[in-house]
Amino acid sequence: MGRLTRRFWNWLPSSIDRRVRVVAWLSLAFQVVLIGTGGAVRLTASGLGCPTWPRCTADSFVNTPEMGLHGIIEFGNRMLTFVLAIIVIAAFLSVLRYRRGRRDLFVLTLLQGLSIPFQAVLGGITVLTGLNPYVVGAHFAVSIVLVAVTTTLVWRVYRGPRGSLMPAPRAYATLVHVTSLLVAVTVVVGILTTGSGPHAGDNSNPLKPAPRNGLDPELLQHVHSWPAYATFALTLAVVIAAFALRLPRRWPLALLAVEVVQIIVGITQARLGLPEVLVGIHMILAGLLVAAITATVLSLRAPSAVDAAPAERRYGPESVSL
């Protein structure tokens, strides 16, 4: 047993290699996928497809044929958590051997690992409270935060530890940070808006519909648009400033592109009465929006001088300039 343990330990990466980069990208991708599948559960009214937790029914851990499509969708979403858990464990193990030299990667993967049981319990509370809109919103908010965490993980894998040098002018950096704050406000108001709207996640019993937060959905749609448009205006300013100052503009442009699509989808879904497909796309775009603004903020700082040169030697200049 000891020999097998040593062989496994020696097999683990001792520095950043292809395996580390793959699991970092998978971590980010599956966080976004989980937002999509969670949205599918809600938008197909399958939130109580498994009416209890941690079992799917009082007598079974898996869905039964009598539960129909809603049971399949809800149970499938629960099973996806186990897939994500495997990826998160792989990410943690991929940085374990060199955790002292790259404490940032160790902390990021540890946070992901701790999020798995936390999200599982929060999902259980969601079911046991009958899809309380605030608990459902908190579930989504945690997923959004994890998108930012995994985006940072991918960034640090390629760019190295956080550097102290900020090549961008202070005014430009302030503009980017204010934009990120407005993105956060937009997401929070969006969560409240969804919690007031028609997609409660369960309509199996018309005599006992899933609760709403009681806020005015029409008013919240307008309130939600205010920080969204302000974010768009500031992002335009960030892009213009990046061109004028000859700063890196890949991520500001990516942020702007996501916002354009998000605004188009948001306006269309509001005018069409919130069709499920568009609402689901809107949720996934929220995850991509947070990933883009996270990368934009991270791009403000140069990589650590200690790690930048070794990273370039390992991966080449193009990989380092993610």
Side-chain angles (χ1 to χ4, degrees):
M1 188 67 178
R3 180 178 297 178
L4 288 175
T5 302
R6 284 195 301 271
R7 288 183 63 182
F8 177 73
W9 178 259
N10 292 331
W11 176 81
L12 292 175
S14 58
S15 62
I16 296 173
D17 59 17
R18 185 180 298 274
R19 292 172 293 175
V20 181
R21 284 175 280 166
V22 167
V23 294
W25 277 112
L26 286 174
S27 298
L28 172 57
F30 268 82
Q31 290 296 346
V32 177
V33 168
L34 204 61
I35 289 175
T37 58
V41 169
R42 181 173 189 152
L43 296 168
T44 58
S46 303
L48 295 179
C50 288
T52 188
W53 185 89
R55 294 175 182 264
C56 192
T57 70
D59 302 314
S60 174
F61 279 100
V62 301
N63 61 300
T64 62
E66 294 77 16
M67 300 170 72
L69 181 62
H70 294 314
I72 294 173
I73 293 173
E74 166 61 8
F75 183 72
N77 186 60
R78 292 188 183 188
M79 289 300 97
L80 189 63
T81 302
F82 288 98
V83 176
L84 181 61
I86 294 171
I87 294 171
V88 168
I89 292 171
F92 179 78
L93 291 174
S94 73
V95 304
L96 195 57
R97 283 187 66 186
Y98 53 99
R99 63 190 181 279
R100 294 180 181 176
R102 290 302 305 272
R103 187 174 180 274
D104 56 331
L105 300 184
F106 177 76
V107 171
L108 289 168
T109 55
L110 180 62
L111 286 175
Q112 286 186 84
L114 295 175
S115 75
I116 297 296
F118 181 78
Q119 280 282 65
V121 172
L122 191 56
I125 295 173
T126 301
V127 172
L128 296 176
T129 57
L131 306 184
N132 180 287
Y134 292 105
V135 180
V136 174
H139 203 35
F140 179 78
V142 173
S143 294
I144 286 292
V145 170
L146 288 170
V147 169
V149 169
T150 50
T151 301
T152 305
L153 174 65
V154 173
W155 187 276
R156 297 289 179 227
V157 162
Y158 282 87
R159 293 295 300 269
R162 180 178 182 269
S164 58
L165 179 63
M166 184 180 291
R170 185 177 297 274
Y172 176 81
T174 300
L175 185 62
V176 171
H177 285 299
V178 173
T179 304
S180 69
L181 176 61
L182 280 174
V183 167
V185 172
T186 303
V187 171
V188 171
V189 179
I191 291 172
L192 293 175
T193 303
T194 304
S196 69
H199 300 298
D202 176 57
N203 57 8
S204 59
N205 185 357
L207 300 178
K208 189 181 179 182
R212 304 283 70 210
N213 60 27
L215 302 175
D216 186 341
E218 186 173 348
L219 174 62
L220 276 178
Q221 284 184 30
H222 292 291
V223 174
H224 179 44
S225 69
W226 300 339
Y229 287 132
T231 300
F232 179 68
L234 286 183
T235 302
L236 276 175
V238 168
V239 170
I240 293 170
F243 274 93
L245 298 171
R246 296 185 178 181
L247 296 171
R249 42 192 178 267
R250 176 189 304 178
W251 295 111
L253 285 171
L255 176 63
L256 182 64
V258 173
E259 289 174 9
V260 169
V261 178
Q262 185 77 306
I263 289 172
I264 293 172
V265 172
I267 292 174
T268 304
Q269 70 174 12
R271 293 185 176 180
L272 295 180
L274 303 177
E276 287 82 357
V277 172
L278 289 182
V279 174
I281 293 172
H282 201 59
M283 292 176 65
I284 294 172
L285 285 170
L288 297 178
L289 177 68
V290 169
I293 188 62
T294 301
T296 303
V297 171
L298 291 169
S299 69
L300 292 173
R301 290 186 179 272
S304 171
V306 174
D307 195 76
E312 186 167 341
R313 286 197 298 269
R314 285 195 299 269
Y315 311 129
E318 293 182 0
S319 295
V320 174
S321 61
L322 175 71

